[in-house]
Amino acid sequence: MNFQQLKIIREAARRNYNLTEVASMLFTSQSGVSRHIRELEEELGIEIFIRRGKRLLGMTEPGKALLVIAERILNEASNVRRLADLFTNDTSGVLTIATTHTQARYSLPTVIKAFRALFPEVRLELIQGTPQEIESLLHSGTADIGIASERLSNDPTLVAYPWFRWYHSLLVPEGHSLIHASPLTLDDISRWPLITYRQGLTGRSRIDEAFSRRGLTPDVVLSAQDSDVVKTYVELGLGIGLVADQASGEERGLVRLDTRHLFDANTVWLGLKRGQLQRNYVWRFIELCNPELSVDEIKRLALETDEVVIDFQI
C-alpha cells in the first residue's frame, strides 16, 4: 500500500468514479490508475469498487471504510509536511482565499484591511470562482480558506464557519411601477423579465425555492455570475434584477427595493479543510470575520475528525 493508491481512492470518490478525471487530477495515466486500484485490491483481498464491465459505479462497503481511513492518513501526512513550516513561518507567508465575486468585491475589503494591519508580512491571494470551484480548491490544498453562500456547509470533509446572513433585493429602473407596489409580492415580480445569478451561485437556490413554493415560474431572461453584470443589464433595460443586498454601490438610474419578506436568508460560510493544521494567521482571519468564535474554538472545530454543527445566532 502507498500514498498514490490512497490518493486514487480519495479522488475516485470525489470525481464520481471517472478514472479519466482522476488521472488528470493526479497527473498520471488512466492505465496507471487502474493498475494501482487492481494492485491494492489484490494486496488487501477485497473489492473496493462496484463495477459494470470496466466502469466504476460506486464503492463497496469495505471500500467505503477504506475511504475514511485513506482520508485520515492523507490528512495526517499533509499535516506532517506542514508542521515545520507552521512553527517557523507563523507571521509571514501567503494566505490564499477562494471566494465568489460578490464577497471579494463587497464583503472582504474591510476584513482584509484589518488583517493586513495585524499581519503586514503576509501576502494575500484572492481566487474568484463558483462555489463548486471553491470547494475543489479547498480539497486540492490550492486555497487555505473558501468563502461562499452555497455548498461549503454541506461537505463533510470541510469545516464551515458562519460569517453573516444576507438577503436578496430587487433592482428596478427609476420610475418603474414596482416602486409603488405595497406590499411587493412574488406575483408582481414574476410579471417582468428577470435578471439574476446563475444556478448554484449567490443564493440562487433561495430564489428558485421561493417562486416554486408560490407555484410561479419567473421569466429569467439572463443569468450571470456576479452582481455587477446583473446591474449592467438592468441599467440597459433588459429586465429587473435580483441581487445580494450587500452588493450595493454605484447604481446609475436604479432603485433598490427590499425583498427580505419574499426570500429566505442566505448565510456566507468560511470553509477550511477538516483536520488540517493551519498557520496562526489563518485562524486569525476566521476570527476577524466571526468575532463570536475564539481562535481556540476555531482550531478545535477544524481539527475535529467528526462533523460538528456550528450554531449561528444573529
mmCIF file of all heavy atoms in Angstrom, residues 8 25 155 189 281:
data_model
loop_
_atom_site.group_PDB
_atom_site.id
_atom_site.type_symbol
_atom_site.label_atom_id
_atom_site.label_comp_id
_atom_site.label_asym_id
_atom_site.label_seq_id
_atom_site.Cartn_x
_atom_site.Cartn_y
_atom_site.Cartn_z
ATOM 1 N N ILE A 8 -5.655 7.887 -5.093
ATOM 2 C CA ILE A 8 -6.549 7.440 -6.162
ATOM 3 C C ILE A 8 -7.923 7.078 -5.598
ATOM 4 O O ILE A 8 -8.963 7.429 -6.171
ATOM 5 C CB ILE A 8 -5.924 6.249 -6.914
ATOM 6 C CG1 ILE A 8 -4.757 6.743 -7.789
ATOM 7 C CG2 ILE A 8 -6.958 5.518 -7.768
ATOM 8 C CD1 ILE A 8 -3.906 5.642 -8.378
ATOM 9 N N MET A 25 -6.271 14.670 -12.483
ATOM 10 C CA MET A 25 -6.058 15.363 -11.217
ATOM 11 C C MET A 25 -4.733 14.963 -10.583
ATOM 12 O O MET A 25 -4.052 15.790 -9.963
ATOM 13 C CB MET A 25 -7.212 15.039 -10.261
ATOM 14 C CG MET A 25 -7.204 15.853 -8.986
ATOM 15 S SD MET A 25 -7.558 17.588 -9.336
ATOM 16 C CE MET A 25 -7.220 18.312 -7.726
ATOM 17 N N ASP A 155 -20.446 19.907 2.842
ATOM 18 C CA ASP A 155 -19.356 18.988 2.543
ATOM 19 C C ASP A 155 -18.749 18.486 3.852
ATOM 20 O O ASP A 155 -18.142 19.257 4.593
ATOM 21 C CB ASP A 155 -18.283 19.707 1.709
ATOM 22 C CG ASP A 155 -17.206 18.770 1.196
ATOM 23 O OD1 ASP A 155 -16.957 17.740 1.855
ATOM 24 O OD2 ASP A 155 -16.596 19.066 0.157
ATOM 25 N N ILE A 189 -43.325 40.468 -9.157
ATOM 26 C CA ILE A 189 -42.002 40.292 -9.779
ATOM 27 C C ILE A 189 -42.083 39.377 -10.987
ATOM 28 O O ILE A 189 -41.422 39.613 -12.011
ATOM 29 C CB ILE A 189 -40.997 39.739 -8.738
ATOM 30 C CG1 ILE A 189 -40.781 40.773 -7.624
ATOM 31 C CG2 ILE A 189 -39.667 39.379 -9.395
ATOM 32 C CD1 ILE A 189 -39.945 40.254 -6.466
ATOM 33 N N TYR A 281 -2.115 32.766 11.219
ATOM 34 C CA TYR A 281 -2.862 33.858 10.574
ATOM 35 C C TYR A 281 -4.132 33.359 9.868
ATOM 36 O O TYR A 281 -5.042 34.151 9.614
ATOM 37 C CB TYR A 281 -1.974 34.670 9.626
ATOM 38 C CG TYR A 281 -1.249 33.913 8.542
ATOM 39 C CD1 TYR A 281 -1.909 33.390 7.446
ATOM 40 C CD2 TYR A 281 0.136 33.780 8.597
ATOM 41 C CE1 TYR A 281 -1.226 32.735 6.433
ATOM 42 C CE2 TYR A 281 0.836 33.123 7.601
ATOM 43 C CZ TYR A 281 0.152 32.599 6.513
ATOM 44 O OH TYR A 281 0.830 31.963 5.513
#
